[in-house]
Amino acid sequence: MNSIDERFLTRNGHAARRLAALLINQPTEGEGARLPRVRDLAAELGVGNGTVQAALQLLEESGAMDTVARGHLGTFLVRADRAILWRLAGLGTVLAAMPLPHSRRREGLATGLRGAFEKTGAPFAITFMRGAATRVGALLDGKVDLAVLSRFAADALMEQHPIDLIADLGPATYAGAHGLLLRHGVQPDSEGLRVAVDNTSEDQRALAERAFAGRTDVTWLESSFMQLYDLFAQDRADATVWNLDEVPGQLAGEVDVLPLDIEITGDFSPRSSSAALIARKEGSEALTAVSGALDLEAVTSLQTEVLRGERMPSY
């Protein structure tokens, strides 16, 4: 352990580590770069003015930041190494729960989120989970700091659980269009259709129920994306409604794809295609520390580059 690490174990060092968490989101340009007054920081941390001054000095000596005093205007933050601030604050890794990356769009979203979080200096990791409810469950249990859902699923689950919307990334960030998939030779009005449905997906289940509303002759078959090809190839399913991002490849050779009527999609399409970031109402310390510095435009920009083939997915 080097001397600077040992100094962060002292009273002043403990204050410096807490101060690092407060300063992670502090701008380094413009009027917003002005640091709060020492007495205000002291009140926030519950320590004396001298302890705050010593903590600020420790942070500068560690290379975490540089400040400049501008007389009566106050003290300004002119440089911040957010990775060092994050490490000193001891906030750990921000963990996000995402849907399985079965499409280039989802790979682009994962790439964009990783890039945006790393830009803030925060260590970031992704765990992939099937089903919006499963991801929300992990969020509520404190296993993850952030969950990614469609806006449609987020709206439905926010009515049931203490979770908040952090951001809506906009149309076509979560999924493209959905379509009606029919086994070759099958018609939408054929009797006794066997319809595949993923009950873990709020979006897919809702669209399938709309598409076959009022049909008493339908048999529902529980399915996941991984099972879908075999169900059609082995003549065990006749139809489904699915995200078309996931259809190209083997599955496309087994089914005919028809567009969904506007009466079915209605106001559903924009919300099902938009990626929503959600968190627990009480939040997590790590997510709270970084949220103000998160560049959402960087998320969608990196995703677009992946979709265009200009960037390899990296997550």
Side-chain angles (χ1 to χ4, degrees):
M1 181 178 292
N2 58 39
S3 59
I4 191 67
D5 288 332
E6 291 172 352
R7 292 175 67 184
F8 276 95
L9 299 177
T10 65
R11 175 181 173 82
N12 291 343
H14 179 65
R17 294 170 72 89
R18 294 174 62 201
L19 187 57
L22 293 178
L23 297 180
I24 285 173
N25 288 328
Q26 186 78 24
T28 56
E29 296 179 359
E31 186 66 21
R34 178 164 45 195
L35 294 178
R37 295 174 299 182
V38 167
R39 65 173 176 267
D40 293 333
L41 290 171
E44 176 81 14
L45 298 177
V47 299
N49 291 352
T51 299
V52 169
Q53 291 169 335
L56 287 168
Q57 183 177 347
L58 269 178
L59 291 177
E60 293 210 41
E61 291 174 353
S62 73
M65 66 182 200
D66 291 323
T67 63
V68 61
R70 295 176 180 167
H72 70 280
L73 295 177
T75 299
F76 288 73
L77 183 67
V78 294
R79 184 193 65 84
D81 187 320
R82 303 194 190 282
I84 295 178
L85 285 171
W86 192 273
R87 176 174 57 81
L88 291 175
L91 293 172
T93 298
V94 178
L95 183 60
M98 285 196 62
L100 302 177
H102 289 319
S103 69
R104 182 56 65 95
R105 194 181 309 274
R106 299 279 172 82
E107 288 190 311
L109 180 56
T111 301
L113 284 171
R114 185 178 187 86
F117 271 95
E118 289 184 345
K119 187 178 177 181
T120 70
F124 179 72
I126 298 172
T127 181
F128 294 100
M129 300 180 180
R130 177 186 169 216
T134 301
R135 297 193 291 278
V136 169
L139 182 66
L140 294 172
D141 290 341
K143 296 177 181 177
V144 300
D145 303 291
L146 183 73
V148 181
L149 316 174
S150 72
R151 180 60 191 268
F152 174 83
D155 286 345
L157 292 168
M158 281 191 294
E159 294 180 356
Q160 306 170 34
H161 304 289
I163 54 179
D164 282 332
L165 179 71
I166 301 301
D168 182 329
L169 298 181
T173 54
Y174 189 79
H178 285 77
L180 178 62
L181 278 56
L182 296 168
R183 187 168 52 81
H184 295 320
V186 172
Q187 298 301 316
D189 56 356
S190 297
E191 288 288 329
L193 288 180
R194 298 164 297 175
V195 180
V197 61
D198 183 353
N199 284 314
T200 70
S201 169
E202 295 280 337
D203 309 76
Q204 196 271 338
R205 184 182 69 244
L207 266 179
E209 289 174 349
R210 289 188 184 191
F212 297 97
R215 294 282 298 270
T216 59
D217 62 313
V218 166
T219 299
W220 298 98
L221 303 173
E222 172 65 26
S223 176
S224 69
F225 171 77
M226 300 300 292
Q227 298 168 314
L228 205 56
Y229 170 77
D230 286 340
L231 286 176
F232 281 101
Q234 298 171 11
D235 190 16
R236 293 158 52 202
D238 301 306
T240 190
V241 174
W242 215 265
N243 175 7
L244 297 184
D245 288 340
E246 299 176 343
V247 172
Q250 283 185 312
L251 183 57
E254 298 297 328
V255 297
D256 297 320
V257 180
L258 301 181
L260 289 172
D261 293 338
I262 188 65
E263 291 80 6
I264 295 172
T265 56
D267 63 348
F268 181 92
S269 292
R271 292 192 298 149
S272 67
S273 74
S274 297
L277 311 183
I278 62 169
R280 296 184 298 277
K281 280 190 177 294
E282 71 274 15
S284 73
E285 189 178 8
L287 186 60
T288 299
V290 76
S291 58
L294 191 62
D295 183 357
L296 297 177
E297 289 187 2
V299 178
T300 54
S301 176
L302 289 170
Q303 182 185 42
T304 298
E305 290 180 17
V306 171
L307 283 170
R308 291 176 176 169
E310 298 168 357
R311 176 183 292 269
M312 289 294 293
S314 175
Y315 50 88

